[in-house]
Amino acid sequence: MARENIDLPEDQGCLRWVLGVPLALLYAPAVYFCALALIAGPGPGDAPFREDVQTLSVLSAVLCGAGLLITLTPVFRRTMGRWWYALPLLLTTVALVRAATV
């Protein structure tokens, strides 16, 4: 049995903005933490500094993971486009590579 879509096409634009706000609030700090981790360049004897860079990278990955979990809900999957998966996957990959190579 086919499911009837109750969302009107003209409502999609406003709904996308409303649903995009929590994702933007998660991804903005994730981008900031990832950028800080990429910019930071510890020296050869900076073990605490390396741990800080790894913490920033992991925090960025956790925020992106939370955004991905939110995006997997049926309301987001039905309303938002698939490109919302690209940013957190790219950020998570960059952050985890940075954490591993510090």
Side-chain angles (χ1 to χ4, degrees), residues 64-90:
C64 288
L68 278 173
L69 287 177
I70 290 173
T71 309
L72 290 176
T73 60
V75 172
F76 278 86
R77 285 188 306 171
R78 186 174 58 234
T79 307
M80 307 301 273
R82 292 184 184 210
W83 69 272
W84 281 93
Y85 296 110
L87 177 66
L89 291 175
L90 177 68

